[in-house]
Amino acid sequence: MYPLYNPVSLELTPFIFFTGKGGVGKTSIACATAVALADQGKKVLLVSTDPASNLQDVLDVELTGQAVEIPTIENLSAANIDPEAAARNYREKAVGPYRGKLPDAVIQTMEEQLSGACTVEIAAFDEFSQLLSDSNVLEQYDHVVFDTAPTGHTLRLLRLPAAWSGFLDTSTHGASCLGPLSGLEGKKEMYAKAVEALSDFEKTTLLLVARPDGSSLTEAARASYELNEIGVKNQGLIVNGVLQTRYAEDAVSAAFYDRQQRALTDVPAALKNVQTYSLPFVSYSLTGVDNLRKLFSFSSMMDATVHVQEEADMPVLSQVIDDLEVNNTRVIFTMGKGGVGKTTVASAIAVGLVEKGRRVHLTTTDPASHLTYTFGDASLNERLTISRIDPASEVAKYKAEVLREAGATLTEEEVAYLQEDLESPCTEEIALFKAFAAVVHKADDEIVVIDTAPTGHTLLLLDSTEAYHKEMSRSAGSVPDSVKKLLPRLRNPKETGVVIVTLPEATPVLEAARLQEDLKRAQIDPRWWVINQSFAAVQTVDPVLQGRAGSEKQWIHQVQNELAAKYAVIPWLAEEKIGYEKLKEFSQQN
């Protein structure tokens, strides 16, 4: 459907960015691209600013924030910038001057405001801005390949005048996930040069990476639109992991192939005019130089080693449901990154508990059409009720509330900054959490299953905002009673169970591990991990899928032995579980 991506046959700019949601293969493709260009005699610097980067594993070299030559690959140097460490330094520059001068509760609030994903991103942007704005870099290298790219939100924010004013030090509206950005001081010129370089067709190419599935392509379309709106127009799309052969006699292979093809037929309109390439679904792990070089040879999608599938006695989803029911868990969250299957898992848990005689309320932030699709047209059990929290209306309501409370005293420029600040991911999370709290507050007589949940950062931000109220008696955003009451409830393992959903792949597992640490900071211990869509848990004769099953095992073992208190594995399903009866069957599988 699309031409194969091969960097040596393309005219690539000096700066090359790879961006996309977690688990789509950004790091592997960035590394393979850097190796291919270096093999052509180009001097290449490979830089990762991904918090979940496995760059060291892929190249099999210990890396730091300083560029080092890769001994096994002539012409290639690499650096692995730790954005979490950059964020810690960035946070301390902002908070440090106030230690000992302001009450501890205020310092705690400032630190938590600067602990969100947006702060990590802007700290990472600070790091690679130095490369983008330094003219000496392009005298040393023909190409600088970046594993990750800034979002449109961050770039828009930095273009607003209020981002550079004293407004950031005095704003108390409470919505900012970037907090008091004193770390920006003195860097306006460098950031301006970086943003200019990103918009320059002759300097920068931005390659969106997606999997051939609806969720991943929708996220790529959103990122493409946002970046295009602010002038980053030299874009391409790489659809990674397209199964090349359909084994009609293998139900798993045929269903997997057909599902991918349907997603590629329904590509979002925003991507229709973007130059698109594809890469095949391969069985082997993209680590080590030999496998990186193999990716663009397209000679074989299979590992030379035959992976024999084992009959593994893996715990299943029904055991998760049994545990939640026996312990009389009243509030159940399914959590994880987009595209891992949270909605299906939440729906199956809800149906499974209903079949055990419990009254259950299932609520989600997915569009109504998706829930309708998940349950089909069949009638529901009378013990199950479903609601939908509309993200658009909840966010609009929250934005209006913040602007009403804080906007009256602000200048036009400051209002513009505040409006852009409210476009951040943390704003949506806080707005939805308030809506979730209201649902749980009204549902004491039934079990509440919530598809998607707030991160530990959001919980601590709301909690510290409450302390900030008590300490300073000033407006930092209102905290409803339902939220105040829910925080202690979420921390009570006798009432609340968190189920982390992930995939048996490197990035989803690493991101889920960071999510768990985030929750533990908020004094919430996840009860279960659910590994979804596993080929290791199915029988297939497709040699490519067999190989993938073998590569999954290290991630399943890591979850089992290092990360999860309890875990379950859901096999890759040839049939989508649509409708109450199918979900019931799914929830009871042993």
Side-chain angles (χ1 to χ4, degrees), residues 293-478:
R293 288 187 170 123
K294 192 192 303 183
L295 181 62
F296 299 137
S297 70
F298 309 114
S299 56
S300 173
M301 275 69 76
M302 289 178 286
D303 194 339
T305 304
V306 176
H307 295 281
V308 179
Q309 287 180 287
E310 302 171 1
E311 288 289 342
D313 184 18
M314 297 178 182
V316 294
L317 183 61
S318 61
Q319 292 173 247
V320 179
I321 297 168
D322 289 344
D323 177 74
L324 295 169
E325 196 268 338
V326 167
N327 286 284
N328 195 31
T329 307
R330 307 302 300 169
V331 181
I332 300 164
F333 285 110
T334 57
M335 302 183 68
K337 294 294 184 182
V340 297
K342 293 188 301 297
T343 299
T344 302
V345 171
S347 299
I349 289 173
V351 169
L353 290 169
V354 166
E355 288 300 311
K356 291 178 177 294
R358 299 301 188 112
R359 294 189 61 81
V360 179
H361 183 78
L362 171 64
T363 189
T364 181
T365 57
D366 274 328
S369 58
H370 186 71
L371 262 186
T372 302
Y373 177 74
T374 301
F375 280 90
D377 298 325
S379 59
L380 303 177
N381 187 294
E382 62 179 11
R383 291 189 299 274
L384 176 64
T385 56
I386 295 176
S387 68
R388 179 179 69 95
I389 296 170
D390 179 32
S393 63
E394 294 299 334
V395 170
K397 188 192 309 179
Y398 179 71
K399 288 178 182 177
E401 176 188 329
V402 172
L403 288 167
R404 185 173 59 252
E405 291 182 3
T409 60
L410 304 181
T411 67
E412 186 176 338
E413 282 186 357
E414 290 168 349
V415 168
Y417 173 85
L418 179 53
Q419 287 174 327
E420 178 53 44
D421 190 19
L422 287 166
E423 294 299 319
S424 75
C426 292
T427 296
E428 178 170 312
E429 195 169 287
I430 290 172
L432 293 179
F433 181 51
K434 288 186 173 184
F436 282 139
V439 170
V440 175
H441 192 55
K442 296 175 181 177
D444 286 335
D445 61 338
E446 57 190 346
I447 295 172
V448 178
V449 179
I450 299 175
D451 167 28
T452 302
T455 64
H457 163 63
T458 297
L459 297 174
L460 285 171
L461 187 61
L462 288 164
D463 200 20
S464 62
T465 299
E466 184 181 347
Y468 192 32
H469 276 184
K470 294 174 183 176
E471 187 68 38
M472 300 295 289
S473 298
R474 59 194 284 186
S475 173
S478 59

Side-chain angles (χ1 to χ4, degrees), residues 218-291:
T218 298
E219 174 67 16
R222 184 198 60 78
S224 174
Y225 175 81
E226 281 199 352
L227 292 163
N228 190 67
E229 284 290 290
I230 55 172
V232 184
K233 298 178 183 291
N234 193 15
Q235 300 178 9
L237 171 66
I238 300 172
V239 182
N240 184 33
V242 180
L243 192 64
Q244 302 295 297
T245 305
R246 184 182 189 275
Y247 277 72
E249 68 276 17
D250 184 331
V252 173
S253 172
F256 187 63
Y257 180 92
D258 292 345
R259 196 174 296 179
Q260 287 192 344
Q261 292 302 309
R262 285 195 298 272
L264 293 175
T265 301
D266 298 329
V267 168
L271 297 175
K272 296 288 188 183
N273 295 321
V274 176
Q275 177 61 56
T276 302
Y277 307 93
S278 67
L279 280 170
F281 187 93
V282 297
S283 67
Y284 50 85
S285 175
L286 285 168
T287 56
V289 177
D290 290 342
N291 280 351

Side-chain angles (χ1 to χ4, degrees), residues 331 333 433 454 459 486-493 496 523-524:
V331 181
F333 285 110
F433 181 51
L459 297 174
L486 187 56
L487 288 173
R489 189 173 194 176
L490 295 182
R491 289 170 173 154
N492 182 357
T496 298
Q523 303 167 44
I524 297 172

Side-chain angles (χ1 to χ4, degrees), residues 7 27-37 58 286 291-293 295-296:
T27 298
S28 300
I29 298 173
C31 286
T33 297
V35 170
L37 293 172
V58 173
L286 285 168
N291 280 351
L292 291 174
R293 288 187 170 123
L295 181 62
F296 299 137

Side-chain angles (χ1 to χ4, degrees), residues 100-249:
K101 298 177 182 178
L102 294 177
D104 290 345
V106 179
I107 297 298
Q108 180 187 349
T109 295
M110 293 174 67
E111 288 179 330
E112 193 51 50
Q113 283 183 319
L114 287 161
S115 294
C118 295
T119 300
V120 173
E121 185 178 313
I122 208 164
F125 184 66
D126 184 70
E127 296 286 340
F128 60 62
S129 288
Q130 297 178 43
L131 294 169
L132 288 169
S133 60
D134 186 351
S135 58
N136 294 324
V137 169
L138 294 184
E139 293 178 7
Q140 295 177 257
Y141 302 102
D142 297 302
H143 298 285
V144 182
V145 178
F146 292 95
D147 170 24
T148 71
T151 65
H153 163 61
T154 296
L155 296 175
R156 288 196 309 271
L157 196 64
L158 292 173
R159 284 183 165 183
L160 291 169
W164 309 98
S165 75
F167 165 64
L168 294 172
D169 295 321
T170 58
S171 171
T172 59
H173 60 80
S176 178
C177 61
L178 297 176
L181 297 181
S182 17
L184 295 177
E185 289 176 3
K187 296 181 177 177
K188 185 173 183 179
E189 185 179 350
M190 180 180 75
Y191 283 6
K193 286 182 179 179
V195 172
E196 182 183 351
L198 284 167
S199 303
D200 189 335
F201 267 76
E202 295 184 358
K203 283 188 176 180
T204 300
T205 303
L206 189 139
L207 293 169
L208 302 146
V209 183
R211 295 283 190 186
D213 66 67
S215 172
S216 181
L217 289 165
T218 298
E219 174 67 16
R222 184 198 60 78
S224 174
Y225 175 81
E226 281 199 352
L227 292 163
N228 190 67
E229 284 290 290
I230 55 172
V232 184
K233 298 178 183 291
N234 193 15
Q235 300 178 9
L237 171 66
I238 300 172
V239 182
N240 184 33
V242 180
L243 192 64
Q244 302 295 297
T245 305
R246 184 182 189 275
Y247 277 72
E249 68 276 17

